[in-house]
Amino acid sequence: MAEGRSFDVVVIGGGPGGYIAAIRAAQLGFATACIDDWTRAGDKPALGGTCTNVGCIPSKALLQSSENYAHADHAFAAHGIAIEGLSIDVAKMLARKDKVVAQNNDGIAYLFKKNRIAFFHGRGAFAGRDADAWRVDVAGPGAATIVGRHVIVATGSAPRALPGVAFDNVRILDNAGALAIAEVPKRLGVVGAGVIGLEMGSVWRRLGAEVTMLEALPAFLGAADEAVAKEALKSFTKQGLAIRLGVRITAVRVGKDDVAVDYTDAAGAAQSATFDRLIVSIGRVPFTTGLGADKVGLALDARGFVEVDADCRTNLANVWAIGDVVRGPMLAHKAEEEGVAVAERIAGQHGHVDFNTVPWVIYTSPEIAWVGKTEQQLKSEGVAYRAGSFPFSANGRARALGDTTGFVKFLADAGTDRILGVHMIGPFVSELIAEGVVAMEFGASSEDIARICHAHPSLSEVTREAALAVDQRTLNL
Ligand code: FAD
Ligand code: NAI
């Protein structure tokens, strides 16, 4: 075991929060170490955390494969392209996904070398404090005791299970299981119609599964703008996702070949359904197992999140925490922002994270994206606003693409015209939302966007037209 290696900054966790924090700390001239325990085949490290291994990246790989299949099945014919004997080789699709993941794992390992970050493969645990530094034990292939003047906790999150229903990743699947189903299930159940449920449900629906989604809340996608949620529900239902709202699960019985779910529906009537597999995607919980938080008195809140202030400082001197293990949205880019900001604060700079401009994207078809306030939030806060929307159906590029679902909506302050929220549903809105984020960061008005030249023909013209719509002067509608 290597003993006594000292660092300015030790990062525990190599997901998007941790690895980005390590890179920024190294850029700022700190001697930096990162500890991560994720392991792939051959006992090799797999840097990148949940996001790279069983989250953002593999889900987007499968969404792309399944969308290609769906296009070949339904959309190509209109272009005069005929395909006979269309089939999907699930093993090959999963192997491609694994390759994409491995490329990302290797890319982060390369970035660590480039930035001279010492990497320790294993589980990091607080061991105590010596003078002005923290001792951290690493258990695993890279076993060592290392010392850090500052420690950044970036240990992420884990899937939340239904009470009494353990994940086995055979019948009851968490996110990792949902990304690795070896053949298209005939009947797929999904508990929780949130972000993971919709993305993973879409993948397997496109490949032919009958998908039933059981959602506890009476409203669909409550965090999204109501108009967007309504349009999304219409589209997903048309695609064959059977979305049941206001459901209460009463029993889950795992059989040898299937899983039966008893529930009450929105009207309170008892229902039962049997599935080949059941994805449980009902949110995630902070992960601090094995971190040694007790040993050093690192404060956790009642829900198990590491307690931090607005600057990601914990209750312990020079111990910081970022990403999914602390309050705020569980998003990779939020974790990254906090990682950068903390490294800069350690360097005495003024790192900042603006929670008002963290974008949300759901990579379904149509895609959904938003930044800032929803119309229902503005109403409940009593803010006077003006709204402007423009549909993709009136856009030449969208027609040429053959994808005219959805719209862009701007919400602007009624007095100052400052943009308060941008909401999108439609083609490539995961990319278009960046304009809304930039606009809000710069404190732009809807008129600013309306006066900016946007390329023709492009989907971004829908953004401009929606900004024009705030002043009721669209040009193409
Ligand atoms: P994590 O990525 O969870 O990384 C934590 C790392 O620390 C892990 O490698 C873990 O093994 C390691 N670790 C934990 N404890 C220790 C320890 N004691 N010692 C050493 N190592 C330890 N977000 C988006 O923004 N966009 C998306 O498209 C998106 N898609 C997602 C799809 C799915 C299916 C899921 C599950 C999540 C998705 N997310 C997405 C959320 C995103 O993955 C998380 O918000 C993000 O990974 C959080 O980053 P993090 O660094 O805080 O934690
Ligand atoms: P989620 O919070 O998005 O959705 C969980 C859903 O489950 C909610 O609609 C909730 O009402 C419902 N639910 C909770 N308990 C239930 C129960 N007992 N029965 C039925 N329904 C129940 O969480 P999800 O989908 O698990 O994803 C976790 C997090 O991962 C997301 O919140 C997001 O932060 C992140 N993520 C982000 C993605 C992206 O940015 N594109 C993609 C996937 C995940």
Side-chain angles (χ1 to χ4, degrees):
M1 180 188 285
E3 285 290 345
R5 294 188 55 186
S6 296
F7 297 91
D8 298 316
V9 178
V10 169
V11 184
I12 306 178
Y19 90 75
I20 289 291
I23 290 172
R24 187 71 189 116
Q27 280 177 347
L28 290 163
F30 294 120
T32 304
C34 181
I35 308 165
D36 188 82
D37 61 358
W38 209 291
T39 304
R40 56 178 146 157
D43 278 342
K44 281 186 12 191
L47 276 162
T50 302
C51 170
T52 302
N53 292 294
V54 291
C56 327
I57 302 300
S59 58
K60 267 78 257 180
L62 294 190
L63 280 157
Q64 190 60 51
S65 298
S66 58
E67 189 164 12
N68 288 347
Y69 178 84
H71 281 172
D73 199 14
H74 313 304
F76 282 6
H79 295 260
I81 303 168
I83 298 183
E84 273 168 35
L86 180 69
S87 67
I88 177 80
D89 179 340
V90 174
K92 202 164 175 181
M93 175 182 80
L94 296 180
R96 174 187 177 274
K97 177 238 353 173
D98 292 342
K99 195 170 159 200
V100 172
V101 167
Q103 285 166 342
N104 282 273
N105 297 140
D106 295 342
I108 300 166
Y110 160 78
L111 291 172
F112 274 18
K113 283 208 179 78
K114 181 182 157 203
N115 287 284
R116 296 195 174 80
I117 294 162
F119 172 61
F120 294 86
H121 186 203
R123 174 72 55 94
F126 282 102
R129 188 159 167 83
D130 299 327
D132 64 347
W134 294 97
R135 230 175 326 112
V136 179
D137 286 339
V138 184
T145 293
I146 61 177
V147 172
R149 206 161 48 80
H150 288 263
V151 176
I152 304 176
V153 176
T155 50
S157 63
R160 186 154 81 86
L162 279 169
V165 188
F167 292 111
D168 59 13
N169 278 340
V170 178
R171 298 285 151 220
I172 309 290
L173 312 180
D174 62 14
N175 53 300
L179 288 159
I181 305 177
E183 58 185 30
V184 180
K186 187 165 172 335
R187 300 159 304 172
L188 177 66
V190 180
V191 183
V195 196
I196 294 180
L198 288 169
E199 290 189 357
M200 298 318 303
S202 293
V203 166
W204 298 105
R205 172 70 206 130
R206 291 167 187 170
L207 300 178
E210 287 165 19
V211 179
T212 305
M213 309 193 64
L214 304 173
E215 165 59 45
L217 292 177
F220 179 63
L221 268 187
D225 190 86
E226 268 168 13
V228 168
K230 196 169 151 210
E231 179 81 12
L233 184 59
K234 200 169 81 189
S235 284
F236 298 151
T237 304
K238 204 163 131 201
Q239 288 163 29
L241 290 176
I243 300 172
R244 312 269 177 260
L245 301 172
V247 159
R248 194 170 65 82
I249 309 278
T250 50
V252 176
R253 284 169 278 116
V254 181
K256 195 167 82 61
D257 297 319
D258 56 21
V259 45
V261 181
D262 296 339
Y263 62 95
T264 54
D265 64 19
Q271 302 284 353
S272 189
T274 303
F275 305 109
D276 302 308
R277 316 256 183 188
L278 185 71
I279 297 174
V280 176
S281 47
I282 55 169
R284 296 178 62 84
V285 292
F287 183 82
T288 52
T289 310
L291 178 66
D294 294 357
K295 188 160 185 173
V296 289
L298 178 66
L300 309 183
D301 71 15
R303 293 188 300 155
F305 289 96
V306 176
E307 234 166 43
V308 286
D309 68 8
D311 288 344
C312 292
R313 284 188 177 82
T314 70
N315 65 315
L316 301 178
N318 293 351
V319 177
W320 311 73
I322 60 172
D324 279 13
V325 80
V326 304
R327 83 284 173 268
M330 287 186 170
L331 295 173
H333 42 283
K334 174 267 193 182
E336 293 183 22
E337 287 296 288
E338 288 181 334
V340 168
V342 163
E344 291 177 352
R345 285 172 197 137
I346 291 172
Q349 299 181 0
H350 298 279
H352 97 294
V353 180
D354 185 351
F355 279 94
N356 294 318
T357 53
V358 173
W360 277 86
V361 177
I362 308 177
Y363 295 79
T364 42
S365 179
E367 291 185 340
I368 296 167
W370 72 88
V371 59
K373 304 275 185 176
T374 62
E375 208 162 333
Q376 59 269 26
Q377 280 172 325
L378 293 178
K379 276 183 190 147
S380 77
E381 290 167 16
V383 177
Y385 64 93
R386 292 195 301 167
S389 294
F390 193 85
F392 283 98
S393 58
N395 173 264
R397 184 76 197 281
R399 288 192 196 117
L401 272 175
D403 195 350
T404 52
T405 312
F407 57 86
V408 172
K409 172 159 122 178
F410 272 74
L411 301 172
D413 186 282
T416 64
D417 193 34
R418 189 181 175 128
I419 299 166
L420 303 174
V422 184
H423 302 273
M424 304 180 163
I425 176 166
F428 297 103
V429 298
S430 55
E431 303 296 334
L432 296 184
I433 195 63
E435 183 174 3
V437 178
V438 172
M440 286 190 62
E441 275 286 349
F442 279 71
S445 62
S446 75
E447 186 185 350
D448 288 328
I449 301 300
R451 287 183 181 278
I452 289 172
C453 179
H454 287 67
H456 176 77
S458 74
L459 299 172
S460 71
E461 289 171 291
V462 176
T463 305
R464 183 192 183 203
E465 290 277 7
L468 280 163
V470 172
D471 201 33
Q472 297 184 346
R473 53 186 190 95
T474 56
L475 296 164
N476 283 285
L477 194 69

